[in-house]
Amino acid sequence: MLEGWILTILVSVGVGSLLFMVALVILLRNNIHATMFWNEIVLEKITNFVMDQSKEQRILNSVSYNAVKGDPESVLDCIDNYCSQKEWAMNVGDEKGVILDKVVEEADPTIALEFGTYVGYSAIRIARLLKPNARLLTIEFNPEFASIAREIIEIAGLSEKITIIEGHSQDIIPQLREKYQVDKVDFVFLDHWKERYCPDTILLEECGYLRKGSILLADNIVYPGAPDFIKYIRSHKSFDCTNYPSHLEYMKVEDAMEKAVYMG
C-alpha cells in the first residue's frame, strides 16, 4: 500500500515537472518578455555565478580567441556568432546592422555620435565605414562595458577612429563642443536607454549640434520601443522620417529602426 502511494507521488511529480517544462518552453517561444527575462535574468545570472565573469567578458574572450586582429569584419562575425549561438546580447546585430551600414554610407559623416557603446559592436560597424579624416564619439555610462569595448575595438584595429566617452548622455552632450571639438554632428546613432532618445535629441537641437542634413538613426523602435521619441520626430516639422522594419537582434521578434533627417 505504502509503495503504491510513493509510486503515485513520484509519477505525479514527474508528470507535473514535464508539464511545467513544456509550458515553460511554449511561453519562452511565444512571449518576448518571458524570453528576455529568461535570457537576461535567469540564465545570465546563473552563468555569471558559475563562471565568475560577466557575459560581456565572455564575449571579449571569444573575440580575443577567435577574431583576426586588425580585421573589423572578423570581429563583427565573431560577436554575431557568439550572440546568436551561445548567449543573446544587446548588439544591433547582423540583420539591423545592414540597415545601419546603409544609413552610415548615406550620411558619409565626418563627425559621428553614438549613444550606447555596450561592447563596441555598432561602433565598429560605423567606424569601419568612415572616411580617413572622420571620427566617431561613442557614449557609455557603464565603466565595465566601456573597458571591454576599448579592448574589442583595439582588436578590430579601430582605436584611432573611435573615442569612448564615459558618463551619462545628458551630462556629456553640453560638453561636446568644448571638450571634444564638436561643432556639428553629421550622423547620430541612438541605442541607449530608450527613455533618453527623445530628451537627448532635443538636447542636441538646443545645443546646436544638428545641421541641415544631419541624420539620426534609432534602434529598437518596436521592442522595447521609444514612443516619446517617435511621437516627437514624426510630429516635428524639422525631421523627415523613414521607418525600417526588421527583427530584434538574433531573434525572430519584430523590431524596427527609424531614420530622421534634420531639415533645419
Side-chain angles (χ1 to χ4, degrees), residues 45-250:
K45 299 303 180 186
I46 293 173
T47 308
N48 289 353
F49 177 78
V50 171
M51 300 191 69
D52 193 28
Q53 60 178 192
S54 68
K55 173 175 64 180
E56 292 72 28
Q57 183 63 52
R58 293 190 289 276
I59 293 173
L60 170 59
N61 291 344
S62 178
V63 172
S64 299
Y65 297 149
N66 300 304
V68 177
K69 190 174 180 62
D71 184 347
E73 301 297 337
S74 174
V75 172
L76 294 174
D77 288 344
C78 182
I79 296 174
D80 282 333
N81 289 336
Y82 185 90
C83 296
S84 62
Q85 298 174 15
K86 296 184 178 180
E87 292 186 272
W88 183 92
M90 56 182 179
N91 308 300
V92 68
D94 49 357
E95 182 180 347
K96 288 186 291 185
V98 174
I99 300 171
L100 174 60
D101 291 351
K102 290 180 179 178
V103 177
V104 171
E105 289 172 342
E106 175 189 346
D108 190 25
T110 298
I111 300 292
L113 178 64
E114 176 187 41
F115 294 101
T117 314
Y118 189 43
V119 297
Y121 177 93
S122 51
I124 292 170
R125 286 203 82 106
I126 295 168
R128 83 196 205 287
L129 299 174
L130 296 180
K131 52 196 172 190
N133 63 331
R135 59 189 174 121
L136 168 66
L137 304 175
T138 178
I139 300 171
E140 176 56 57
F141 84 97
N142 185 311
E144 180 191 0
F145 293 171
S147 177
I148 288 172
R150 285 191 182 92
E151 293 190 56
I152 292 178
I153 289 167
E154 183 177 356
I155 293 171
L158 292 170
S159 297
E160 292 186 2
K161 280 194 168 293
I162 302 172
T163 299
I164 297 177
I165 307 172
E166 292 186 44
H168 293 279
S169 54
Q170 63 267 33
D171 299 325
I172 293 170
I173 291 173
Q175 303 174 8
L176 288 174
R177 184 167 285 110
E178 181 179 347
K179 285 193 173 183
Y180 300 96
Q181 295 75 54
V182 173
D183 182 30
K184 301 291 182 183
V185 176
D186 306 303
F187 173 75
V188 180
F189 184 49
L190 299 112
D191 195 19
H192 56 328
W193 292 107
K194 311 315 166 190
E195 60 267 26
R196 288 301 313 172
Y197 281 19
C198 186
D200 285 344
T201 296
I202 293 172
L203 191 54
L204 286 171
E205 289 182 89
E206 292 176 344
C207 291
Y209 292 120
L210 300 182
R211 60 163 178 80
K212 184 176 182 179
S214 291
I215 296 178
L216 284 69
L217 183 67
D219 192 17
N220 303 124
I221 292 307
V222 174
Y223 187 85
D228 291 344
F229 171 77
I230 291 299
K231 180 180 179 180
Y232 178 75
I233 60 170
R234 290 182 181 177
S235 62
H236 199 305
K237 63 181 181 181
S238 293
F239 290 102
D240 181 26
C241 301
T242 305
N243 184 264
Y244 297 93
S246 188
H247 296 90
L248 186 65
E249 46 269 26
Y250 314 118

Side-chain angles (χ1 to χ4, degrees), residues 28 32-47 55 58 86-89 250-251:
L28 293 177
I32 180 57
H33 301 290
T35 301
M36 296 304 292
F37 177 84
W38 179 258
N39 286 335
E40 294 290 275
I41 304 299
V42 180
L43 286 182
E44 182 178 337
K45 299 303 180 186
I46 293 173
T47 308
K55 173 175 64 180
R58 293 190 289 276
K86 296 184 178 180
E87 292 186 272
W88 183 92
Y250 314 118
M251 291 187 180

